[in-house]
Amino acid sequence: MYINAHILQQLQKLLGPENLLTDELSLALHSYDCSLSRTRPDAVALLPNTACVPGVIRLLNQYKIPFTPRAAGTNHAGGCAALKGGVILDFTRLNRLLEINTQEKYAIAEPGLTTAALQEEAARWGLLYAPDPASARVCTLGGNLAQNASGARCMKYGGTADYILGAEWVSPQGQSVWLSRQSAGPDWLGFLCGSEGTLGVFTKICVRLTDEPKHIKTFLVTFPSLQESIQTVTDLAARGIIPRCVEAMDNATTRTVEAYARAGYPADAEALLILELDGQPKQIHMQAAQLEEICRQNHCQTFKAARTEAERQKLWAGRRAAYAATTLMAPNVIVGDGTVPRSKLPQALQAVSQIIRKYQLQAGLLFHAGDGNFHPHLVFDARNRAQAALTARAEQEILRACAQCGGTISGEHGVGVEKRAAMAFMYDAPTLRFMAALKHALDPANLSNPEKIIPVNFAEKAKEQTAPDPAEQALQAQIKARFAAGETSVITGAGSRCKTNSPRALRTRGLNKVVEIDKQNYTATVQAGVHTQDLQARLEAEGVYAAFPADKGTLGGCLAVNAAPAFARQVTGIRAILPDGEIITYGGKVMKNAAGYNLCRLFTGSRGQLGLITQITFKIFAQPQKAQTQNTPQPLWPAPLRAVKAAADPKNLFGVLQEEK
């Protein structure tokens, strides 16, 4: 018990006595989320307004009381579990839509506003808030930001991190800072998005809106096997076709959903896809023909378009009801969230199916297939301890299988506590140490949603690190020697944006390989010293495109100064050398990744102050992309976030160059 009568009195003064709950029923109701974790907090703070949040956190910090932010509690990984007791910060009352600007296309809201409420208000003005988690009617914007939620439309439109324009962030010490994508420096919003409340909380959120497509066409396609439906998705991705949504279900899920929601799904189909296109009628007509061709090649049994908006909504009502329907199969459900490169979907499906058979489990298989995102629903009875243990073991094996396919243990549900150990399946020890250092830098007392994300005792369990290539190894040796000697460095690529004559310059010219252009997954992996004009020519020769400017600069320099924000949003993986010479690796060919702190976003705009980017993996496209560029002044480091620089560069050896105008 962290809280005595004196602390309770001070909290009541800040919140109002009626907003601080300590009775057993309230504590029980806030002791669980949609995961299997069950923990008892010491108190629940019903936050009455955003103004009180910094003061409450400062008070908790003063007395070293841990706190866990929570809203709707739809988390599937134990992210809302108060593992060390303390105080639940309940954001559900902070649910106002503060502004919707139809001219500049943005909305500002409090974190407790539900996603569906924002979507519905935006739709009244012909606008779209694109992130679309299945729990949109109950999940909140703050929860979406904490998990970097995405949902069915992610394949075309991206996830929450791609739509956050600004936010009021309260640090774990209670300091309030407005963060904006217009500010220079690291992409702080992208870095904090998906941090699951472990690095502070948000009290206001500004999101980008887009025009609502006027024309949408939805198709229900059935197949004789799940393997053939998944191969269809792989083939579709390899053709460079980007539908609005691609959802897949197996027969067990289809029958369960149909019995529950009456969505019009054929109960005898072994597998089905829901495919959706949007855009201009001519474009939809052309893409529909391509979709049908690919489906027929994979032996689809029916290819049927929704004839009316009511039919379309009925199809989606079934998809959104899948979790609720599955809960009728057994008292408990574990919802998997592994994500693999789309070309690996058939291999991952085979592995997942084998694991389910091995443990003789009952399960429904459901996918955001366009993103390679698996949602196997493993149903069981937690009162049967042997069955519960087998199910938990199967879930860990499924996550390992996804990681072994080059994927991630979480596409959109986060890590929380239940997948914390699985972080070692996909990250090496230096990368996990760096993530732990970032957490400690921002929250040294470990009070903000403690004991989440970072695995315990990971040194011996972590994934083996990929060996550096000769050019990367030479730079690593140089950086290690300078770190040992306490010598400063500045990073420069081609010298096109940031020039220096310093003898302490670290140059990326030797990092000049195009490692891979993967047209199956529509990604490219390139070393940071490759010139963008040469790279663009190489991509175009392969018939693919990306959103960086073709100039004399390097790709690493483009990302390091955030010269092309659209390109930065399409980066899915990086390698970098830290100022102490350690190499870290984050992400890869997966279309979404909610496992750990987003290091791609952290290094974007950091100008080499955190480390030297050596390799970048990014999305490529079948059609030309706009490469809108911006001039970026010197980085801004808000006071609470300066600790990140100190964690990455404790000796302050990596300087920054001024970009020439």
Side-chain angles (χ1 to χ4, degrees), residues 86-156:
V87 176
I88 293 284
L89 300 181
D90 189 319
F91 282 79
T92 52
R93 295 184 180 183
L94 307 182
N95 59 4
R96 294 181 300 163
L97 177 58
L98 302 173
E99 179 183 357
I100 188 162
N101 189 311
T102 59
Q103 296 298 313
E104 298 184 37
K105 298 177 185 176
Y106 69 80
I108 300 175
E110 293 178 335
L113 183 72
T114 65
T115 308
L118 174 60
Q119 290 171 334
E120 289 165 5
E121 183 61 25
R124 289 184 59 235
W125 301 95
L127 298 171
L128 172 72
Y129 178 60
D132 188 34
S135 58
R137 294 213 165 271
V138 285
C139 69
T140 64
L141 294 182
N144 292 173
L145 196 160
Q147 305 299 131
N148 192 17
S150 46
R153 291 196 286 249
C154 182
M155 183 178 186
K156 182 170 184 176

Side-chain angles (χ1 to χ4, degrees), residues 169 177 179 188 191-192 199 442 637-646:
W169 171 68
V177 180
L179 300 173
W188 296 119
F191 164 58
L192 292 169
L199 304 179
L442 288 172
W637 299 76
L641 292 163
R642 289 176 197 156
V644 171
K645 166 66 173 171

Side-chain angles (χ1 to χ4, degrees), residues 636-659:
L636 299 177
W637 299 76
L641 292 163
R642 289 176 197 156
V644 171
K645 166 66 173 171
D649 186 11
K651 294 185 179 181
N652 197 27
L653 300 181
F654 273 34
V656 62
L657 293 172
Q658 177 64 48
E659 185 174 357

Side-chain angles (χ1 to χ4, degrees), residues 185-186 479 489-493 498 506 508 556-557 559-562 576-579 602-613 634-635 637 645 648-649 652-657:
I479 290 170
S489 297
V490 291
I491 297 171
T492 183
C498 303
L506 288 169
T508 61
L559 187 65
V561 302
N562 196 16
I577 307 175
L578 299 177
L602 178 62
F603 276 77
T604 296
S606 64
R607 290 173 170 259
Q609 290 206 75
L610 301 175
L612 187 154
I613 300 169
Q634 291 279 52
W637 299 76
K645 166 66 173 171
D649 186 11
N652 197 27
L653 300 181
F654 273 34
V656 62
L657 293 172

Side-chain angles (χ1 to χ4, degrees), residues 169 171-173 191 198-199 433-446 597 639-648:
W169 171 68
S171 76
Q173 293 75 39
F191 164 58
T198 64
L199 304 179
R433 276 197 298 271
F434 184 56
M435 289 187 183
L438 295 172
K439 164 67 173 172
H440 181 74
L442 288 172
D443 184 19
N446 194 26
Y597 303 131
L641 292 163
R642 289 176 197 156
V644 171
K645 166 66 173 171

Side-chain angles (χ1 to χ4, degrees), residues 198-276:
T198 64
L199 304 179
V201 303
F202 292 90
T203 51
K204 288 179 187 174
I205 303 170
C206 178
V207 300
R208 175 169 63 95
L209 306 175
T210 61
D211 290 324
E212 176 75 65
K214 294 182 180 179
H215 305 282
I216 301 173
K217 198 72 173 176
T218 307
F219 303 89
L220 181 68
V221 190
T222 62
F223 292 85
S225 73
L226 188 59
Q227 287 76 10
E228 286 162 310
S229 72
I230 294 303
Q231 187 61 50
T232 298
V233 178
T234 300
D235 295 346
L236 179 151
R239 289 270 289 268
I241 301 170
I242 306 179
R244 176 182 170 105
C245 306
V246 183
E247 298 289 292
M249 297 182 195
D250 71 349
N251 178 260
T253 305
T254 299
R255 286 187 288 105
T256 303
V257 169
E258 184 59 22
Y260 176 80
R262 305 296 179 189
Y265 299 162
D268 59 344
E270 286 300 313
L272 65 79
L273 292 180
I274 300 175
L275 295 160
E276 189 162 89

Side-chain angles (χ1 to χ4, degrees), residues 386-552:
Q387 188 183 60
L390 286 177
T391 307
R393 193 181 307 165
E395 168 67 1
Q396 290 296 304
E397 288 193 22
I398 288 171
L399 296 177
R400 186 185 290 275
C402 290
Q404 289 172 342
C405 287
T408 171
I409 62 168
S410 177
E412 57 186 357
H413 292 173
V415 175
V417 61
E418 298 197 349
K419 290 188 281 186
R420 184 174 57 176
M423 286 281 283
F425 299 163
M426 56 181 297
Y427 293 117
D428 53 48
T431 305
L432 289 171
R433 276 197 298 271
F434 184 56
M435 289 187 183
L438 295 172
K439 164 67 173 172
H440 181 74
L442 288 172
D443 184 19
N446 194 26
L447 301 179
S448 188
N449 206 8
E451 313 305 328
K452 308 292 172 62
I453 298 179
I454 309 298
V456 178
N457 300 325
F458 57 77
E460 296 180 1
K461 304 173 185 176
K463 176 182 174 181
E464 186 176 348
Q465 187 170 49
T466 304
D469 88 334
E472 189 179 47
Q473 193 170 29
L475 276 169
Q476 181 187 28
Q478 190 177 8
I479 290 170
K480 281 187 173 182
R482 291 188 183 185
F483 182 80
E487 296 176 350
T488 60
S489 297
V490 291
I491 297 171
T492 183
S496 62
R497 295 184 177 88
C498 303
K499 299 182 183 296
T500 181
N501 295 316
S502 170
R504 311 308 322 157
L506 288 169
R507 303 184 186 277
T508 61
R509 291 172 182 165
L511 299 170
N512 54 15
K513 293 180 184 175
V514 176
V515 178
E516 182 184 37
I517 297 173
D518 183 350
K519 293 176 68 175
Q520 272 197 303
N521 290 294
Y522 269 73
T523 63
T525 301
V526 178
Q527 289 188 324
V530 172
H531 288 241
T532 56
Q533 58 187 4
D534 297 336
L535 178 57
Q536 187 174 83
R538 173 76 181 273
L539 292 173
E540 289 182 2
E542 297 279 348
V544 293
Y545 306 87
F548 53 77
D551 56 23
K552 295 180 180 179

